[in-house]
Amino acid sequence: MKKIVIATQNKGKAKDFEALLAPLGYKVLTLLDVAQDLDVEETGVTFEENAILKAEAVSKVLGIPVISDDSGLEIDALNGEPGVYSARYAGAAKSDSANIDKVLEKMSGVPENGRTARFRCVLAVAAPNEKTETFSGSCEGIILSTPQGNNGFGYDPIFYVPAQSKAMAELLPHEKAAISHRGNALRELQQRMPKWLDEEKQS
Ligand SMILES: O=P(O)(O)OP(=O)(O)OP(=O)(O)OC[C@H]1O[C@@H](n2cnc3c(O)ncnc32)[C@H](O)[C@@H]1O
Ligand SMILES: [Mg+2]
């Protein structure tokens, strides 16, 4: 089976990538499998910058091609917050439930028609001696006022997807993969697969 390293420490993202890549014949490995202590500081102010930072740093250390994912939630009523700070919105501990509580508190009193939001994902693909490429995807939704569902991770329980009439956390992994920002970015990558990555999977 072909192996691909995703430069992430996030178990929720790892599950999303498994749902997306297992059907294509890839075994997904993450930093949790190959380099537990490799933590890249996210000093960028855009998803693109952070995705490139993570992919290039990890590819350099491991000496192999990797895909990184920088993603987050943009809420219109909060001027795009939490955005690139989504993971650490309620503090460095990166607690999903504390992040959700902070969003719900800031959104209290905002009527349904003002609760529009989107998830964004930028994937960066880096390899030794190759030009790094990025691919992006988004997914539109509405911020719920109470969490719903137990699947997924992060803000999934408060992100209602009108197209599915369900919260993201109520979707099965393959259902999320079909409509998510991460799925859309990966489909963009498949459309414009860098030649060197396509060749890599033969080995
Ligand atoms: O940097 P890595 O190690 O990949 O893991 P991370 O969790 O820090 O990842 P990011 O820096 O890209 O921050 C993304 C945050 O945005 C949120 N997020 C991204 N994709 C999501 C999804 O599919 N569902 C719910 N929340 C998501 C969630 O809070 C993530 O922690
Ligand atoms: Mg991060």
Side-chain angles (χ1 to χ4, degrees), residues 7-10 13 16 31 42 54 69-73 83-84 86-87 94 96 99 119-120 153-156 168 176 180-182:
T8 182
Q9 305 273 7
N10 184 315
K13 283 187 191 177
D16 276 12
L31 296 181
E42 294 175 31
K54 288 188 270 192
D69 167 314
D70 201 66
S71 45
L73 177 64
V84 289
S86 292
K94 289 195 182 176
D96 286 347
N99 287 338
F119 276 125
R120 284 198 193 280
F153 70 100
Y155 300 92
D156 283 345
M168 195 72 110
K176 178 177 175 183
S180 73
H181 48 313
R182 189 158 292 111

Side-chain angles (χ1 to χ4, degrees), residues 110-147:
V110 178
E112 190 173 334
N113 63 5
R115 300 179 75 92
T116 50
R118 68 207 51 77
F119 276 125
R120 284 198 193 280
C121 174
V122 174
L123 302 178
V125 181
N129 305 316
E130 299 287 352
K131 188 175 167 296
T132 302
E133 309 260 6
T134 61
F135 307 88
S136 55
S138 63
C139 178
E140 297 289 325
I142 306 284
I143 302 300
L144 291 163
S145 38
T146 45

Side-chain angles (χ1 to χ4, degrees), residues 11-41:
K11 289 192 181 119
K13 283 187 191 177
K15 285 197 181 142
D16 276 12
F17 278 106
E18 277 159 23
L20 283 159
L21 291 166
L24 303 175
Y26 286 95
K27 177 166 173 54
V28 169
L29 298 174
T30 69
L31 296 181
L32 303 166
D33 304 302
V34 298
Q36 286 245 348
D37 301 330
L38 188 45
D39 196 19
V40 183
E41 213 189 329

Side-chain angles (χ1 to χ4, degrees), residues 58-191:
V58 172
S59 159
K60 196 169 174 193
V61 171
L62 299 180
I64 55 169
V66 304
I67 301 177
S68 72
D69 167 314
D70 201 66
S71 45
L73 177 64
E74 281 179 3
I75 302 174
D76 294 321
L78 305 180
N79 298 314
E81 277 185 30
V84 289
Y85 304 105
S86 292
R88 30 190 168 135
Y89 196 42
K94 289 195 182 176
S95 154
D96 286 347
S97 64
N99 287 338
I100 285 178
D101 288 347
K102 182 165 177 182
V103 166
L104 292 182
E105 198 183 304
K106 287 205 165 200
M107 292 295 284
S108 71
V110 178
E112 190 173 334
N113 63 5
R115 300 179 75 92
T116 50
R118 68 207 51 77
F119 276 125
R120 284 198 193 280
C121 174
V122 174
L123 302 178
V125 181
N129 305 316
E130 299 287 352
K131 188 175 167 296
T132 302
E133 309 260 6
T134 61
F135 307 88
S136 55
S138 63
C139 178
E140 297 289 325
I142 306 284
I143 302 300
L144 291 163
S145 38
T146 45
Q148 260 173 238
N150 297 307
N151 300 333
F153 70 100
Y155 300 92
D156 283 345
I158 55 165
F159 190 87
Y160 182 79
V161 189
Q164 310 294 314
S165 305
K166 281 181 183 170
M168 195 72 110
E170 293 176 303
L171 300 181
L172 296 171
H174 73 274
E175 293 173 327
K176 178 177 175 183
I179 55 98
S180 73
H181 48 313
R182 189 158 292 111
N184 290 336
L186 198 78
R187 283 180 281 275
E188 175 70 21
L189 190 161
Q190 282 180 280
Q191 294 281 313

